[in-house]
Amino acid sequence: MSHRITLLPGDGIGPEVTEATVGVLEATGIAFEWIVHEALGASALETYGKALPDHILDSIRDTKVALKAPVTTPVGTGFRSVNVELRQKLDLYANVRPCKSLPGLKTPFDNVDLIIFRENTEGLYSGMETYDERHDIADSVARISRKGSERIIRFCFEYAETHGCDPVTVVHKANILKLTSGMFLSVARELAEEYPHVSFNDRIIDNMCMQLVIHPQDYGCIVTTNLFGDILSDLAAGLVGGLGVVAGANIGDDYAVFEAVHGSAPDIAGRDVANPSALIRSAELMLRHLGERTAADAVSRSLTELYSEGEYLTADVGGSTGTREFARRLADRISAHV
Ligand code: NAD
């Protein structure tokens, strides 16, 4: 049986890391039927008049699972982020980002092993922004709902309990944002009582940033609102080798979209230097989601070996191997393991 997957190669370094990842996935011997949609973001706006065309949403509704590379969002102007729109329209409320030290990769800390659970549909990304031209004042609404808070926090506790990932830390700014962050914190405190076997604590976001760059090993599962989660996941990526190595998954009740934490990296696009490990590790999460555990383990083991040996690494992690060669060497190793 082959898995039907919507494949979105995105732009910037997206097509390069997608090609590398597809090659690696095919080396596992699992059969895939790729439903490819190349135009997304600026290119889709030009071709279809919409940055996130309906046929892409329909394709994901049909296949239920997508592998997505990054898409550029114009800064301070232009169309709304297709990434945010996709997550909201498909109700992919849990953005799960594991940050784990890779053996052989020199970073300030060893043994970092934490997961960020970022609420993915509300908060300051709700898309409610207004501009009062007369007074030159702009407002953004940070909507937090009890339902939205409950489902991401429960998702995190369920994961923590099932995987023995301790403690659960809820990150907030409830000292200042008493109603929004305050609601998120109080829901977390209520739910913590349902999970007596999982240790639980909370941190104010600014303190959390400092704690993570001093004692990252003290943390396991971190659950937080949309903007804090976005920022903390780049910070945590920095602890384990950078954006080139950190995977992500957007999970909802009906659909799942797997994508790396990093963006389209226009500064290095088209030069065969991007690190495909982040999308490859996202694809590993996808394999686990699809129930393909043996293949996922082969990807994980082969990647760990390649990093431990340190001979063929990309430039962002101190090597000089190109995107394609890295992927080829990884694929060869996976073929030998499956
Ligand atoms: P970025 O993640 O694209 O890049 C930040 C830095 O990390 C750059 O120096 C880049 O070269 C480096 N980097 C990122 N991925 C790398 C990789 N795989 N290998 C080696 N180096 C890598 O962040 P940015 O520059 O802030 O954003 C660029 C664009 O990407 C923006 O338009 C932003 O909106 C978009 N973006 C998209 C997504 C997404 O599609 N999910 C996520 C984040 C940012």
Side-chain angles (χ1 to χ4, degrees), residues 13 68 70-73 83 243 259 262-268 275:
I13 59 169
K68 176 188 165 296
V71 180
T72 304
T73 308
N83 305 309
L243 287 168
E259 64 176 339
H262 66 70
S264 56
D267 52 334
I268 56 165
N275 189 346

